[in-house]
Amino acid sequence: MMIYKNIEYCFNKGESKDVNVRGWVHRLRKQKDNIFLTLRDSTGIIQCILPFTEEYNKVTIESSVEISGNLIKDERSPSGYEIHANNMNIVGLAENYPIRKDFSVAYLNTVRHLWNRSRKMQSIMKVKSEAMSAAGEWFKENNWYQTTPPIINNSACEGGSTLFELDFFGNKAYLSQSAQLYLETLIFSLEKVWSSTTSFRAEKSKTPRHLAEYTHLEGEQAWANFEDILKVEEELLTHIVQRVVQNNHKDLEFLKQDVGYLSRIKTPFDRITYEEAISFLNKKGFDMKFGDDFGTEEERQLTSNLDNPLFLISAPVEAKPFYTKINPDDERMVLSADILAPRGFGEISTGGQREDDIESLTRRIKKEGLNPKEYDWYMDLRKYGSVPHSGFGFGLERIVRWICNLDHIRDTTPNPRSVSKSYP
Ligand code: ATP
Ligand code: MG
């Protein structure tokens, strides 16, 4: 039986109970007459008290054990309950565990395969799991189809500088930076499509929000204009946050996140235009001019005092990839928008309307230094029954970093990959 189910039972019935539990030794304190042990399983922790015996005395931190005993209420124990154990079977005796209290972040990164057992990582991974199923749930309820775009491609989606190249049966190929172009092919059949795939970006600098591989939650919709897609994005994100607040209360509290503010996230999100953002930042002492990109510091400033996500609307044509639609009312700008997470967490998605004009697409593909030949198939989408369409991509780990209030994106994933980091 799982620890938490047992506690729930006692709590509801107001009585003690004989239980059999199994898990891993999270904490351990040995005394003359008793052994105090905190047991951990996937649902939580509970303190167990065992009589001191030679056999039980062999147990070590992170050993796997089966324990039976009587679960009773005890105000002094951290969970409010404890098990007075009468038997323990050591299933896998652990060697001297290498993670202690005085660990450094650098060290923990070298023992990820073990650190993933920590309660911090356990809580984060639960939040991430909930966020993924909440996204799937929202798409399903709104009649979107989940699809499986390719990871190995001949062409770039987000520009050549962050491509990972590989040898594909003697030819050059690249790991996907985004599924978008392939999702666009599917709207002609399924109209509303989404995917959750791994995207790869050869990000050369180390930042607290970039990974070399991350989970990309992307959607593409036929017959949808710019406004339509912003609505999809804000509703989807709000649903994800609400589900996590509802089902991961304990995890958020353990991570010291302010659950109250997350529970108040609501649609519609406020908006700031690119040009308003430039002048806002200049008033704050930044030196920004039209055409500049927003870095981490700029994005932090824009939302540091906000509790709800913010749409950063439109961008200069040169700042965005070739497929973004040029605004017919202002040819300097594209119909693209980023969602910035509140409290300074920065960009978590980019979305917008797609360019339908073949001439504009070809010109911008060349300007980005890409080979138009490789996009022939993409141009076909504009030749055979093109429709206005829009889409978006969320970085799942960026969402999790924000929801879990984490300093660094590395903790949003069990085995983070970044420059010079691919072990363990
Ligand atoms: P940034 O400007 O923050 O580097 P981007 O604008 O290059 O991101 P997009 O091409 O818009 O990224 O990708 C869509 C989304 O994917 C981003 O909004 C972000 O949430 C996520 N994302 C992009 N690059 C990374 C990365 N290296 N690690 C984690 N998430 C990422
Ligand atoms: Mg972006």
Side-chain angles (χ1 to χ4, degrees):
M1 258 296 246
M2 308 303 275
I3 291 171
Y4 191 70
K5 275 266 166 281
N6 280 310
I7 293 181
E8 244 181 354
Y9 174 91
C10 288
F11 182 79
N12 292 335
K13 299 262 176 180
E15 57 190 53
S16 68
K17 186 181 178 227
D18 285 330
V19 295
N20 299 306
V21 286
R22 60 186 177 196
W24 292 263
V25 178
H26 189 65
R27 290 216 177 82
L28 188 61
R29 192 156 48 90
K30 293 174 179 172
Q31 286 182 352
K32 200 156 74 48
D33 299 323
N34 290 107
I35 293 174
F36 294 88
L37 163 166
T38 307
L39 188 72
R40 183 191 73 246
D41 72 6
S42 61
T43 67
I45 57 169
I46 188 145
Q47 177 161 288
C48 306
I49 303 173
L50 290 137
F52 189 99
T53 69
E54 282 308 312
E55 183 56 27
Y56 298 163
N57 191 32
K58 289 183 192 153
V59 77
T60 52
I61 290 278
E62 287 303 325
S63 290
S64 48
V65 297
E66 294 167 329
I67 288 178
S68 41
N70 193 238
L71 178 66
I72 59 160
K73 201 172 168 73
D74 189 324
E75 309 278 307
R76 289 164 307 173
S77 117
S79 60
Y81 289 85
E82 67 185 15
I83 294 173
H84 288 191
N86 48 39
N87 189 44
M88 174 168 73
N89 173 31
I90 300 175
V91 178
L93 184 66
E95 292 179 21
N96 199 4
Y97 198 60
I99 299 180
R100 310 195 174 273
K101 273 228 157 85
D102 48 355
F103 40 64
S104 69
V105 172
Y107 173 69
L108 291 179
N109 282 337
T110 66
V111 288
R112 273 284 171 162
H113 53 298
L114 301 175
W115 178 236
N116 286 332
R117 304 177 183 198
S118 66
R119 293 192 72 210
K120 178 180 175 180
M121 288 306 297
Q122 192 186 44
S123 282
I124 296 168
M125 290 189 287
K126 284 184 186 177
V127 168
K128 192 175 189 179
S129 172
E130 186 65 25
M132 285 191 279
S133 45
E137 183 182 69
W138 188 91
F139 282 122
K140 176 96 184 135
E141 275 170 12
N142 291 278
N143 303 313
W144 289 62
Y145 291 97
Q146 185 172 11
T147 62
T148 56
I151 297 298
I152 298 172
N153 300 324
N154 279 336
S155 45
C157 182
E158 299 300 317
S161 68
T162 62
L163 278 175
F164 280 110
E165 193 180 303
L166 74 140
D167 173 28
F168 189 64
F169 302 115
N171 292 316
K172 251 190 212 175
Y174 307 98
L175 293 177
S176 172
Q177 298 164 303
S178 162
Q180 182 200 312
L181 305 186
Y182 293 91
L183 288 181
E184 284 189 57
T185 67
L186 302 178
I187 60 164
F188 299 87
S189 164
L190 300 170
E191 298 194 27
K192 298 199 281 188
V193 291
W194 72 282
S195 61
S196 170
T197 57
T198 304
S199 277
F200 300 85
R201 307 269 175 113
E203 311 277 3
K204 275 134 207 141
S205 55
K206 285 191 179 168
T207 80
R209 57 197 196 115
H210 288 95
L211 293 163
E213 81 173 31
Y214 69 96
T215 314
H216 212 162
L217 204 60
E218 293 174 274
E220 199 67 30
Q221 183 175 4
W223 314 104
N225 63 22
F226 187 55
E227 284 299 326
D228 297 328
I229 211 68
L230 298 193
K231 200 153 185 298
V232 167
E233 285 187 67
E234 61 187 2
E235 283 181 7
L236 169 62
L237 183 62
T238 305
H239 181 77
I240 292 172
V241 175
Q242 282 168 351
R243 271 283 175 274
V244 170
V245 166
Q246 188 179 17
N247 294 333
N248 297 79
H249 219 271
K250 281 197 305 176
D251 299 307
L252 295 175
E253 275 169 4
F254 181 81
L255 295 165
K256 301 196 170 55
Q257 173 60 300
D258 174 357
V259 183
Y261 114 85
L262 283 186
S263 69
R264 289 188 293 273
I265 302 287
K266 60 175 192 311
T267 61
F269 296 169
D270 283 338
R271 299 171 176 207
I272 187 170
T273 66
Y274 174 81
E275 285 175 294
E276 285 165 355
I278 294 270
S279 63
F280 172 88
L281 288 167
N282 281 333
K283 278 189 204 122
K284 291 266 170 191
F286 288 77
D287 183 18
M288 303 280 293
K289 56 179 190 317
F290 185 88
D292 287 350
D293 211 357
F294 301 124
T296 307
E297 242 341 285
E298 288 82 13
E299 285 182 3
R300 202 196 324 271
Q301 270 297 327
L302 289 171
T303 65
S304 58
N305 292 324
L306 301 182
D307 276 357
N308 215 47
L310 177 71
F311 272 122
L312 173 59
I313 299 280
S314 90
V317 177
E318 287 70 31
K320 292 286 176 183
F322 65 87
Y323 54 73
T324 47
K325 186 174 171 63
I326 294 179
N327 186 344
D329 300 327
D330 181 354
E331 303 244 310
R332 301 169 308 148
M333 312 300 281
V334 286
L335 295 174
S336 169
D338 292 353
I339 293 180
L340 306 183
R343 300 195 173 182
F345 276 88
E347 176 181 332
I348 54 175
S349 86
T350 294
Q353 194 162 342
R354 311 311 188 192
E355 184 59 79
D356 337 75
D357 180 59
I358 294 191
E359 191 276 318
S360 161
L361 284 170
T362 313
R363 182 167 35 84
R364 289 158 73 200
I365 284 173
K366 284 189 191 144
K367 206 160 173 206
E368 283 188 31
L370 303 168
N371 178 3
K373 221 35 248 112
E374 278 169 0
Y375 296 87
D376 275 351
W377 65 269
Y378 186 69
M379 297 305 176
D380 278 353
L381 307 182
R382 304 298 185 270
K383 290 180 191 165
Y384 304 107
S386 185
V387 289
H389 64 287
S390 303
F392 60 88
F394 279 95
L396 179 66
E397 287 77 10
R398 296 258 179 109
I399 297 179
V400 172
R401 175 177 171 238
W402 161 52
I403 294 181
C404 292
N405 193 25
L406 304 173
D407 294 335
H408 203 290
I409 196 165
R410 73 165 82 82
D411 290 334
T412 61
T413 199
N415 296 84
R417 302 296 184 229
S418 63
V419 187
S420 74
K421 183 87 197 130
S422 56
Y423 174 93

